[in-house]
Amino acid sequence: MIFNETYTLSNGVKIPKLGLGTWFIDDSVVADAVKSAVKLGYRLIDTAQAYGNEAGVGKGVLTCGVPREEIFVTSKVAAEAKTYEDAKKSIDETLEKMGLDYLDLMIIHSPQPWVEFREDKRYFEENKQVWKALEDAYEEGKLKAIGVSNFLKDDLDNILSDCKVKPMVNQILMHISNTDLDLVDYCKKNDILVEAYSPIAHGEILNQPQIKAIADKYKVSVPQLCIRYTIQMGTVSLPKTANPDHMKTNADVDFEISAEDMETLKNFEKIDNYGESSGFPVYGGKL
């Protein structure tokens, strides 16, 4: 198990290499999922305003039996909040909803509202306003670290060109067959830690025989190979599950993928269709 392994953010805050993603886990059951994860040894819990389960996550954190300061809690400002005032309000609402005095990490969920995701309008000036709200909350002690999600290089350049506090993380879709090596390298050069969400490719990676063959070589499951891959890429891995058995096996990744196999996995043919998961609700129906 790798629960004790951490990265250090640019401001000195330590963050676990493996966390529990909670996307699609209903608010009514997510508290139990959080408590199960913490009992197993997880110390990083990731949620978002868009997930609709912040209250349940907060309840799980506060009733899990482990001191609050030992759990790293992340949430995300809704992609649609694109003014200073809306972002400031959303940060306070998240803290109130979760019943927490502070968050360990708060990030901008997307550079664009989901219905305009990856379209022409880039919201550069608006994202500067949202970033200013995060900076102010950080300076007030409400947030221990701040960052972004789904930001491309020019989105990051926009923030870096005019900020008091640099983004500490960029949480992106990253998995075998979908690894933006240039973006990962750019983040590393700017001391921005990459977090990999959906490291198991929404399950579609399970249908790839070549990946299965490599997993068999290491006597591990495909999900375990996928999680280990993201960790060896130097990123935080955030697999999502409410199943305690899956939580346990997801953390059992104390093996090493060879350099040769890592190169194969880095350059594996891109999956263009995620099947039933292709229309992400949080993306407004967009990929």
Side-chain angles (χ1 to χ4, degrees):
M1 302 294 179
I2 62 167
F3 294 125
N4 294 326
E5 295 185 19
T6 61
Y7 297 112
T8 302
L9 299 178
S10 59
N11 67 341
V13 169
K14 294 188 180 302
I15 180 172
K17 291 184 177 182
L18 177 69
L20 178 75
T22 62
W23 182 27
F24 273 160
I25 303 179
D26 192 83
D27 195 48
S28 63
V29 298
V30 74
D32 287 336
V34 169
K35 287 189 281 188
S36 294
V38 171
K39 185 176 181 180
L40 285 167
Y42 283 81
R43 292 297 180 266
L44 167 56
I45 310 296
D46 182 275
T47 184
Q49 293 171 1
Y51 299 172
N53 61 10
E54 288 179 313
V57 169
K59 180 181 178 182
V61 168
L62 293 172
T63 60
C64 67
V66 170
R68 164 69 186 96
E69 61 271 17
E70 294 181 18
I71 302 176
F72 194 103
V73 182
T74 300
S75 194
K76 309 173 189 74
V77 176
E80 294 72 29
K82 289 301 177 196
T83 67
Y84 176 90
E85 291 75 15
D86 285 349
K88 184 178 186 300
K89 181 181 177 183
S90 73
I91 294 166
D92 291 338
E93 286 178 348
T94 284
L95 289 168
E96 182 178 0
K97 193 176 293 183
M98 299 187 77
L100 303 178
D101 296 326
Y102 68 92
L103 289 180
D104 298 274
L105 173 65
M106 191 84 174
I107 58 185
I108 303 174
H109 206 163
S110 166
Q112 298 146 306
W114 294 121
V115 294
E116 299 175 64
F117 189 60
R118 298 292 189 250
E119 293 186 1
D120 291 340
K121 184 172 180 181
R122 302 306 299 275
Y123 288 86
F124 287 141
E125 290 306 314
E126 291 86 347
N127 283 320
K128 286 182 179 180
Q129 289 190 39
V130 179
W131 188 251
K132 178 66 165 59
L134 285 173
E135 287 180 326
D136 288 351
Y138 174 71
E139 291 179 353
E140 292 166 7
K142 296 176 181 178
L143 311 173
K144 301 297 184 184
I146 53 178
V148 296
S149 181
N150 297 297
F151 272 47
L152 301 176
K153 182 180 179 295
D154 56 354
D155 297 310
L156 291 169
D157 284 339
N158 176 58
I159 299 297
L160 291 169
S161 70
D162 185 27
C163 63
K164 292 188 294 183
V165 181
K166 288 174 58 175
M168 294 154 196
V169 306
N170 186 17
Q171 187 179 125
I172 60 175
L173 175 65
M174 177 177 157
H175 53 74
I176 296 168
S177 82
N178 189 349
T179 302
D180 188 334
L181 296 173
D182 289 339
L183 180 58
V184 171
D185 184 57
Y186 180 80
C187 288
K188 288 181 178 179
K189 286 179 178 177
N190 283 279
D191 208 11
I192 299 170
L193 180 68
V194 172
E195 293 189 301
Y197 71 79
S198 300
I200 308 171
H202 311 290
E204 189 59 28
I205 202 80
L206 302 173
N207 301 323
Q208 305 297 319
Q210 290 172 270
I211 302 300
K212 177 68 164 61
I214 295 176
D216 289 345
K217 173 182 174 180
Y218 293 95
K219 297 182 172 57
V220 297
S221 68
V222 170
Q224 287 171 319
L225 180 76
C226 291
I227 292 165
R228 184 66 209 179
Y229 166 78
T230 53
I231 290 172
Q232 281 189 219
M233 285 294 296
T235 72
V236 173
S237 195
L238 296 170
K240 186 277 297 183
T241 183
N243 185 317
D245 291 334
H246 292 169
M247 293 176 192
K248 185 175 181 179
T249 57
N250 286 348
D252 189 12
V253 291
D254 292 319
F255 65 97
E256 192 81 13
I257 303 171
S258 71
E260 181 182 3
D261 286 335
M262 281 296 291
E263 284 304 309
T264 298
L265 296 173
K266 284 181 194 177
N267 298 288
F268 193 79
E269 183 179 358
K270 183 175 173 62
I271 293 176
D272 290 322
N273 190 323
Y274 291 99
E276 292 181 358
S277 296
S278 290
F280 306 149
V282 75
Y283 283 6
K286 292 176 177 290
L287 270 177

